[in-house]
Amino acid sequence: MSTARDSENWAAAAATERREQRERRWQYLCPPLYRETDPARLPQGPLADVLAWRYGPQGLLLIGPTGTGKTRAAYLLLRRLLDEDETRRIIAYDGLAFGHEAARRFREGTGETWVTGVATADVIFFDDFGKMTLTERVEAELFGVIEYRTAHHLPILATSNMTGADLAAKASKDRGEPLVRRLREFCRVVVFNPEPEPAGDAG
């Protein structure tokens, strides 16, 4: 017969396995550069806005110049989302990876299955959104993913240092403006500005 101690040992072992599995997922999801981010070194106002986000249909669009902490803040949020619910399916792409993955998958004949998985993930994060090379195939699949997720109340998280006009200009006339419009409608914008330069010695 099992004892209370057996039950405790089993529960502890199960908790350890879940923690290790969650850590393995985090290592796979997050590039090494961003795993040890110190929150204290990020702009606190925008960071607080990002970390206040709760899972729901409205996503986040983090905009601002390169080097202002957008990506680090986004990965801190992804870590929290993973810790909150280890069953969440979270997918992240940097500025070029989505396009490369789309090209490879469709070349191998697995594109339809892959893009369905991307469109239906619990959370998708695009880092440096708009930086990918938009071939006809990549543009069509990206637009389809955005369309599906907004229609099905699935959140989109993204960072970008491009303006809406810049993003729209990268895509074809039929897709550029609608894509930007959907991002604006279904994502809350958080602005990251450069840290002000220290005041010089006036004396």
Side-chain angles (χ1 to χ4, degrees), residues 6-54:
D6 291 334
S7 296
E8 291 174 0
N9 289 340
W10 181 88
T16 298
E17 174 58 27
R18 288 196 302 272
R19 185 167 58 251
E20 291 175 349
Q21 184 178 36
R22 192 163 60 243
E23 189 59 32
R24 287 192 295 270
R25 288 186 62 198
W26 175 243
Q27 298 287 325
Y28 178 79
L29 177 70
C30 182
L33 178 63
Y34 305 117
R35 291 177 194 160
E36 304 301 326
T37 292
D38 180 1
R41 300 185 66 178
L42 299 180
Q44 295 302 295
L47 177 62
D49 288 341
V50 171
L51 295 182
W53 185 80
R54 291 295 179 264

Side-chain angles (χ1 to χ4, degrees), residues 19-199:
R19 185 167 58 251
E20 291 175 349
Q21 184 178 36
R22 192 163 60 243
E23 189 59 32
R24 287 192 295 270
R25 288 186 62 198
W26 175 243
Q27 298 287 325
Y28 178 79
L29 177 70
C30 182
L33 178 63
Y34 305 117
R35 291 177 194 160
E36 304 301 326
T37 292
D38 180 1
R41 300 185 66 178
L42 299 180
Q44 295 302 295
L47 177 62
D49 288 341
V50 171
L51 295 182
W53 185 80
R54 291 295 179 264
Y55 185 83
Q58 185 184 47
L60 283 177
L61 179 57
L62 283 53
I63 62 172
T66 299
T68 50
K70 304 182 301 296
T71 300
R72 291 183 181 277
Y75 274 109
L76 287 174
L77 174 60
L78 293 185
R79 181 69 204 233
R80 196 205 77 205
L81 294 174
L82 186 60
D83 288 342
E84 285 177 352
D85 185 350
E86 59 199 33
T87 68
R88 277 191 179 126
R89 195 158 59 91
I90 301 173
I91 298 176
Y93 289 106
D94 66 22
L96 298 176
F98 180 87
H100 290 165
E101 184 82 352
R104 181 177 70 84
R105 292 284 190 161
F106 280 94
R107 186 170 61 248
E108 294 173 350
T110 59
E112 295 298 333
T113 301
W114 166 75
V115 80
T116 298
V118 173
T120 58
D122 295 308
V123 177
I124 187 165
F125 169 49
F126 292 105
D127 190 27
D128 268 341
F129 188 84
K131 291 296 180 68
M132 69 276 286
T133 300
L134 290 179
T135 64
E136 171 62 25
R137 167 64 76 180
V138 171
E139 180 183 303
E141 300 308 331
L142 178 63
F143 187 77
V145 166
I146 301 298
E147 282 280 279
Y148 183 94
R149 295 189 67 82
T150 54
H152 289 81
H153 296 166
L154 292 170
I156 299 161
L157 310 180
T159 68
S160 183
N161 58 15
M162 302 174 71
T163 66
D166 291 337
L167 287 171
K170 284 212 55 167
S172 64
K173 183 178 179 181
D174 291 341
R175 297 191 183 111
E177 289 293 341
L179 189 148
V180 170
R181 188 165 58 247
R182 280 159 180 75
L183 287 176
R184 286 173 171 165
E185 182 178 354
F186 291 97
C187 294
R188 183 165 63 86
V189 173
V190 179
V191 178
F192 282 69
N193 290 313
E195 291 292 309
E197 293 292 330

